[in-house]
Amino acid sequence: MVDAEKGAGPSNAGPKMNQYEEQDVGFCGGILIAISILMCIVFFPLAPFFIIKVVAQYEKAVILRLGCIRKGGAAGPGLFFFLPCVDEIHVVDMRTVSFDVPPQEILTKDSVTVTVDAVVYFRIQDAVSSVCNVDNVKTATRLLAQTTLRNMLGTKSLSEILSEREEISNSMQHILDKATDPWGVLVERVEVKDVRLPQNLQRAMAAEAEAHRDAKAKVIAAEGELNASKALKEAADVIAESPSALQLRYLQTLSAIAAERNSTILFPMPIDMMKAFAEK
């Protein structure tokens, strides 16, 4: 959605550039330009060293002629000519730039103090607007990112900050992109890097998680005891229906104990004798 909105950027930049081009240098300005051209002709053998400028493929040159944007807008990349003394050149880097948002201490909606930092990726798509509409576009974007991060996370609870990082990043990117559009800036990506909690809150959350795990373990153990008791009851019912099953179980237990090769001495007691005591 952000890219679609930015896709209309060049069409919006057209009227701005035309507005800059309509500025007239006036009669005195024309005289100064004529003098500058005459000086270039007089000092022609040396003039090319002072009137030729080369900008790289990833750069644009914004030329202010007597304080006004020169016709044609930004020049470059490549080689171009300018007039000494009357032209002022501002070279703008059009590549994607990244910067870290310094850690910000933020009070969340549920009154928890957290420290959050982020990283922002942006690039300049309109060199003329970045020179004419803002003093320092990189510094302005960096400061705007800090305030936007603080304002946005201040309306979120701690659980929302921890679980909705992607949504927060997308919302922050949309806000920054809309705010920096008059500066000719396209915010490509915003990422929340780290959320640091106070030490006492970390200990409280760890204790809460441990208590939750202990309670869950006790519930699981109780369920196991319940299932075991049900299985023992069913086994007792089966043995009660067949007296010989108790004798076989008794012999099996003796066999298991004898296989362990320990020093335990067993005195087998007849099952019938035990049955007689049980009847009394």
Side-chain angles (χ1 to χ4, degrees):
M1 182 174 63
V2 175
D3 292 337
E5 294 178 358
K6 275 298 186 180
S11 60
N12 295 335
K16 299 177 184 177
M17 193 173 297
N18 292 335
Q19 179 182 359
Y20 296 137
E21 291 176 359
E22 292 174 359
Q23 302 296 327
D24 189 6
V25 296
F27 177 75
C28 295
I31 294 176
L32 292 177
I33 293 174
I35 293 174
S36 179
I37 296 175
L38 181 61
M39 291 176 60
C40 293
I41 296 174
V42 172
F43 298 99
F44 177 73
L46 299 177
F49 296 98
F50 300 96
I51 64 174
I52 296 177
K53 179 73 174 179
V54 178
V55 295
Q57 180 67 36
Y58 52 84
E59 294 176 334
K60 291 283 188 179
V62 179
I63 303 175
L64 301 178
R65 178 161 294 172
L66 295 177
C68 302
I69 294 294
R70 197 183 71 172
K71 184 178 180 180
L79 183 145
F80 62 91
F81 297 90
F82 66 95
L83 298 177
C85 303
V86 296
D87 286 348
E88 181 182 355
I89 301 176
H90 297 269
V91 178
V92 180
D93 194 334
M94 308 295 288
R95 293 176 295 181
T96 298
V97 180
S98 64
F99 65 86
D100 292 326
V101 179
Q104 304 290 314
E105 288 191 1
I106 300 169
L107 184 64
T108 62
K109 187 171 63 175
D110 50 355
S111 301
V112 178
T113 303
V114 296
T115 303
V116 184
D117 57 355
V119 59
V120 178
Y121 299 87
F122 74 96
R123 64 180 176 87
I124 297 174
Q125 66 172 1
D126 187 355
V128 175
S129 297
S130 67
V131 172
C132 297
N133 294 347
V134 63
D135 182 21
N136 190 323
V137 64
K138 294 183 179 179
T139 302
T141 304
R142 184 178 291 107
L143 295 176
L144 181 62
Q146 295 180 22
T147 56
T148 303
L149 180 64
R150 295 176 66 91
N151 295 337
M152 176 173 294
L153 296 186
T155 62
K156 303 287 185 179
S157 63
L158 178 60
S159 59
E160 291 174 345
I161 294 175
L162 296 177
S163 61
E164 300 177 0
R165 289 193 180 187
E166 186 174 356
E167 296 180 4
I168 293 174
S169 299
N170 293 335
S171 300
M172 186 174 173
Q173 176 187 356
H174 178 71
I175 294 173
L176 283 176
D177 191 63
K178 185 177 181 181
T180 57
D181 182 68
W183 304 342
V185 173
L186 171 65
V187 179
E188 296 180 340
R189 191 176 183 87
V190 177
E191 291 291 341
V192 177
K193 293 174 57 179
D194 189 19
V195 179
R196 291 189 288 273
L197 305 178
Q199 292 294 331
N200 56 352
L201 182 59
Q202 292 182 16
R203 289 193 293 267
M205 294 179 66
E208 181 183 359
E210 185 177 1
H212 179 72
R213 289 193 298 268
D214 292 342
K216 188 175 181 180
K218 291 180 180 179
V219 171
I220 294 175
E223 292 178 352
E225 292 290 341
L226 178 62
N227 295 333
S229 62
K230 291 180 180 179
L232 289 174
K233 181 180 180 299
E234 294 176 359
D237 293 341
V238 173
I239 292 175
E241 295 175 359
S242 178
S244 60
L246 180 60
Q247 183 68 30
L248 292 175
R249 180 60 182 164
Y250 178 70
L251 295 176
Q252 184 179 5
T253 303
L254 291 178
S255 177
I257 295 175
E260 295 179 359
R261 297 181 180 180
N262 52 26
S263 58
T264 304
I265 301 176
L266 299 176
F267 296 94
M269 182 178 293
I271 298 297
D272 296 337
M273 185 181 296
M274 296 177 61
K275 185 176 181 182
F277 286 109
E279 292 177 353
K280 292 182 179 180

